[in-house]
Amino acid sequence: MKVIKPEVIERIRQETDIVELIGSYLPLKKVGRNYRGLCPFHSERSPSFYVSPERQAYHCFGCGAGGTVITFVMQFEKLDFPDAVRLLAKRLGLKVEEETVSGEKQILYETCEKAARFFEQMLKKSDVAQRYLEKRGLKETTVKRFRIGFAPGGNALRGTGSKLGLGEKALLEAGLLIKRDNGLIDYFRERIIFPIFSLSGKVIGFGGRVLDNSEPKYLNSPDSRIFRKGEILYGIFQAKGYIREAVPILVEGNFDLLSLVDKGINNCVASLGTALTQEQALLIGRYNRQVVLCYDGDEAGEKACRRSIETLLRAGVDPQIMVLPRGDDPDSYIQKFGKDAFLRQVDNVIDFVDFVIRGRRLDTVAQKRSAISELGAIVEAIADDVTRELYANLIAKKFGISQSQLLPRSEGRQSARIVNPTVSGDSILAENLVAAAVQDKHLASIAQEFSLYEMVEDEVLRGVARLVGEHWRSDSYKPALLMDIVDDERARRKIARWLFDGPEPPTAEKFREQICRLRARWLQRQIELAHAEGDEERAEILIREKDLLLREKRPVSRKG
C-alpha cells in the first residue's frame, strides 16, 4: 500500500508558517507573542482563537478547537489527512513522494481492499444484484461512494483468489474464507456486500445481505487483527466530516444508513446491526457529545433503543430519541415520506426521560414509583456530573419529588469522593504528567519506562499516553506530530490547550518523583483489588513491585 513518506509530512510541518497559512483564511491580529482572530469553527463576537508561531499550533479558548497546519486545513477544507498534506505540499512547491508499507496487518488490509474490488466487479456483472439495489432505491453515486458489491455463489472469491494475488491464508485470516469438512469455502455467498471502513478509509471488514428473506439475513465478517465489530461503526469514515458539526443520527441497519445518505442526510452512522457497545459509543463521543437514536418503530427497536441510552450516557454522550411510527424503520420511512418529513421527525426528538415514560400509565403510586426507579437507574449511569444533575432535576420536577428521593445513592457517591480524595488528585496529577510527556521527549521516555498509560483512568488521556509510548523514539517527536496522528478530536484539543494554557513541564527529576508517587498509589489500589478478588498470587507480585519502586525509585521490568 502506498503512503506519503513521513519526511514529506515533517517538511510540511517545519516549512509551513502557521500564521501565514491561517492568515490567508481569516484576519489575525498580533497580541503579544501570539496572533488572535475570530474562530472559524464556531460563531463568536469576541475573538478567542489564538495562533502561536513558536509552537506552530492554534487553539480556540471558546470551542476548544486546536491543532497544527495540517489539522487546520483538514477541518476548514473538510479534507482527510492525505489530501490536506497534498494541498499544503502544493503551496510549498513540494513533490509528494510515497512509499510502500508492509507487515502482517498490511497484508490483511491489502487482502480486504482486493476483495472489495472483486465484489464491486461482481456487482457490475450481476443483473439480479443490480436490480435488487435499484428496487431498494439507491442511486449509483451512493453505491459507488460506499463501494457496495456482490458476492456470487460457488466459492467465486476462493476460485479467483490466486489470479487476484490473494493467498488462502490471508483470506482465511481476514474472515473471507472459512473451514468446513470439505475444505475452505467463501464466507460470503449470494449476498450484497457492504465494505466496512476504518476511520482512515481502509477496508477492514464486510457485511453481507441475502437477496431474499432467508436467514441469516445479515452477516458480518468475523473479528480479525484489523477488524473488531464492536469497535467500529458502519459509515463512520464517510460521516466523520459531517458529525463534528451536525448531531449524528445513529441507526441499526446498513440500508437504513444508505437510504438516508442517498437522500442527502450525511450525518449518519450505524451499529452494524448489533447492540451498541461501549467502544462504539465512545467513538461517537470523539466527534459529538450528542446523538439522535433512530431505531425501528417496533418493540424490538424500542428495546434496542432503551439499551443504547445507558451505553451512550456512560460514554458521556447525550442521546435524543426519534420515534418512528409502528412498522416503519428509517429506510422505509424516508422512502415513503421523503427527506423533509424525516428531518421534521429529527426536529421533534425527545429525551430519554420522555422516551421511558412515553405511552406508560402513571395513574397509581406503584406505576409512578416503577418509572422513577427505572429513570433513577439511568441517571446513575450518566458519567458527567453536570449532566446527571440536570437530568435529575428534570425528573424530580416532573414527578414532584426531591432529587435525593430519585438518587438515594448520590449522598454515598459524594461521601466516597470525600473519603478518598487521592483518586481525584491522581487524575489531576496523571493529566499533568501526560501533558508534560507530550511536550518533552525526555519526559516521554520516563513516562514509557513507568507505563504511564496504564495508570490513566480517563479514556481520552489514556489514548494520548499510548501515543506518547508509541512515538517518543521518533526523531520528529513533538506535540505537532501527536496532534496530526491522533484520531480523537477531544485528545487533539487537550494537547492544544496544554500548549497554550498548561503548566510548564517539570524537570526530569521532579517528573520522576511525581510519576513514582502516582504509580505507588496506583499499585496500592491494584493490590487491594487483587485481595478483594482473592487473587493472592497477583497481589504478591504487585506488593514486590511497590516495595522495589519505593526503595529504588524505578519500575519493575515486565515483559508481555
Side-chain angles (χ1 to χ4, degrees):
M1 179 181 176
K2 296 285 188 180
V3 297
I4 298 172
K5 286 187 175 181
E7 50 265 38
V8 174
I9 298 171
E10 186 56 28
R11 277 195 67 185
I12 287 169
R13 289 195 193 104
Q14 291 178 358
E15 296 180 22
T16 302
D17 185 325
I18 194 168
V19 175
E20 180 186 344
L21 172 77
I22 297 179
S24 69
Y25 286 91
L26 55 108
L28 294 174
K29 182 178 180 181
K30 198 170 192 310
V31 180
R33 297 160 69 178
N34 297 322
Y35 289 77
R36 185 174 67 188
L38 292 172
C39 181
F41 304 117
H42 82 289
S43 178
E44 62 177 5
R45 294 183 178 179
S46 300
S48 58
F49 182 85
Y50 285 77
V51 182
S52 168
E54 293 177 20
R55 301 179 179 91
Q56 286 293 296
Y58 66 89
H59 176 62
C60 176
F61 287 90
C63 69
T68 66
V69 289
I70 298 176
T71 52
F72 181 86
V73 170
M74 288 172 65
Q75 291 178 348
F76 195 95
E77 300 282 4
K78 301 291 187 297
L79 299 175
D80 60 17
F81 187 88
D83 286 340
V85 169
R86 290 187 179 93
L87 187 150
L88 289 167
K90 187 176 181 180
R91 290 179 87 254
L92 293 171
L94 294 178
K95 181 182 178 182
V96 178
E97 297 178 344
E98 296 182 329
E99 63 183 5
T100 302
V101 296
S102 59
E104 292 182 355
K105 285 188 176 180
Q106 187 56 38
I107 291 172
L108 290 182
Y109 287 127
E110 291 173 356
T111 298
C112 288
E113 173 60 31
K114 289 177 180 178
R117 292 177 190 168
F118 169 77
F119 293 137
E120 286 178 288
Q121 289 300 316
M122 292 302 100
L123 176 63
K124 293 176 182 177
K125 296 179 180 180
S126 172
D127 293 337
V128 174
Q130 289 183 57
R131 282 198 300 271
Y132 178 83
L133 292 177
E134 289 170 6
K135 184 180 176 182
R136 298 298 299 246
L138 293 186
K139 300 187 186 102
E140 187 178 349
T141 52
T142 304
V143 172
K144 287 182 177 179
R145 181 181 174 193
F146 285 83
R147 300 187 61 186
I148 297 172
F150 177 64
N155 297 324
L157 180 61
R158 184 192 176 201
T160 57
S162 59
K163 294 179 183 178
L164 300 172
L166 294 170
E168 288 188 348
K169 181 181 177 183
L171 286 169
L172 189 63
E173 191 171 350
L176 290 162
L177 297 182
I178 53 171
K179 288 182 179 178
R180 287 288 184 264
D181 292 339
N182 57 344
L184 296 175
I185 63 171
D186 284 7
Y187 186 72
F188 295 104
R189 291 178 293 175
E190 296 289 347
R191 290 177 182 268
I192 296 294
I193 296 296
F194 311 96
I196 300 166
F197 298 88
S198 69
L199 290 172
S200 61
K202 294 177 181 176
V203 180
I204 55 176
F206 301 88
R209 192 203 189 281
V210 292
L211 299 174
D212 52 25
N213 290 319
S214 59
E215 296 293 338
K217 188 178 292 186
Y218 281 95
L219 197 62
N220 286 313
S221 294
D223 285 357
S224 70
R225 279 186 290 173
I226 62 171
F227 175 62
R228 295 285 186 276
K229 185 169 59 214
E231 296 177 4
I232 196 69
L233 293 158
Y234 182 64
I236 187 70
F237 170 65
Q238 289 86 354
K240 65 181 183 179
Y242 298 92
I243 60 177
R244 285 192 176 100
E245 298 173 4
V247 176
I249 298 171
L250 176 63
V251 298
E252 286 187 285
N254 296 16
F255 272 113
D256 290 328
L257 180 142
L258 292 167
S259 288
L260 298 184
V261 172
D262 201 71
K263 299 294 189 293
I265 301 173
N266 290 292
N267 52 314
C268 306
V269 291
S271 56
L272 293 173
T274 59
L276 187 73
T277 67
Q278 193 70 18
E279 289 80 8
Q280 289 170 331
L282 289 167
L283 179 56
I284 292 170
R286 290 187 189 182
Y287 297 92
N288 207 302
R289 308 310 290 174
Q290 288 185 296
V291 67
V292 171
L293 290 173
C294 183
Y295 286 1
D296 293 0
D298 56 18
E299 186 177 350
E302 289 185 4
K303 286 181 178 178
C305 186
R306 172 66 180 79
R307 290 192 300 268
S308 296
I309 286 169
E310 285 193 42
T311 304
L312 288 159
L313 288 170
R314 286 195 189 95
V317 180
D318 187 21
Q320 302 293 305
I321 297 93
M322 178 176 164
V323 180
L324 292 177
R326 281 279 173 181
D328 269 322
D329 56 34
D331 174 25
S332 65
Y333 187 90
I334 201 165
Q335 296 288 359
K336 283 192 286 188
F337 303 108
K339 177 181 177 180
D340 291 342
F342 185 89
L343 292 177
R344 283 195 294 272
Q345 289 278 10
V346 174
D347 290 337
N348 292 318
V349 292
I350 59 177
D351 59 31
F352 76 82
V353 180
D354 287 336
F355 177 76
V356 168
I357 64 176
R358 171 178 159 269
R360 196 166 179 163
R361 294 193 63 178
L362 299 171
D363 302 324
T364 68
V365 170
Q367 289 168 343
K368 291 178 180 177
R369 186 157 62 182
S370 174
I372 290 168
S373 176
E374 184 176 350
L375 289 168
I378 296 175
V379 173
E380 284 280 2
I382 298 175
D384 178 65
D385 290 344
V386 174
T387 306
R388 187 191 311 114
E389 187 84 6
L390 289 170
Y391 270 118
N393 285 335
L394 175 68
I395 296 165
K397 186 177 179 181
K398 189 179 286 284
F399 284 90
I401 60 173
S402 67
Q403 191 184 127
S404 61
Q405 290 170 311
L406 175 69
L407 299 174
R409 292 181 292 278
S410 60
E411 292 182 9
R413 182 196 291 115
Q414 191 65 27
S415 301
R417 287 177 182 161
I418 295 169
V419 170
N420 190 13
T422 60
V423 175
S424 60
D426 284 353
S427 298
I428 296 169
L429 176 57
E431 177 159 356
N432 288 339
L433 290 170
V434 175
V438 162
Q439 298 176 68
D440 187 291
K441 184 173 182 175
H442 181 51
L443 300 185
S445 70
I446 299 173
Q448 179 66 5
E449 179 188 347
F450 283 84
S451 301
L452 175 59
Y453 73 90
E454 71 178 4
M455 297 181 282
V456 177
E457 299 292 335
D458 180 82
E459 177 251 342
V460 177
L461 280 177
R462 192 186 308 118
V464 177
R466 282 188 182 278
L467 278 181
V468 169
E470 292 168 2
H471 295 278
W472 71 269
R473 290 184 178 86
S474 169
D475 292 338
S476 56
Y477 180 83
K478 54 188 173 184
L481 170 69
L482 299 180
M483 282 192 284
D484 284 341
I485 61 179
V486 69
D487 283 330
D488 194 328
E489 180 64 23
R490 294 171 296 170
R492 183 179 295 116
R493 292 182 176 198
K494 270 188 180 293
I495 297 171
R497 179 173 59 79
W498 293 335
L499 295 181
F500 282 83
D501 197 32
E504 284 293 316
T507 62
E509 183 180 358
K510 186 70 174 175
F511 185 87
R512 183 175 287 272
E513 176 189 320
Q514 290 174 340
I515 202 169
C516 278
R517 188 166 70 246
L518 178 69
R519 188 157 191 87
R521 291 206 290 257
W522 179 82
L523 284 168
Q524 183 57 40
R525 291 197 294 275
Q526 299 306 305
I527 291 165
E528 292 169 1
L529 182 61
H531 282 315
E533 294 175 348
D535 191 347
E536 298 304 323
E537 183 179 351
R538 180 168 180 268
E540 187 59 35
I541 293 170
L542 292 167
I543 289 169
R544 287 200 298 270
E545 179 177 349
K546 183 183 175 187
D547 288 345
L548 182 64
L549 178 74
L550 295 176
R551 266 198 329 267
E552 302 185 22
K553 301 296 182 188
R554 65 182 179 85
V556 171
S557 176
R558 292 179 295 169
K559 295 182 180 180

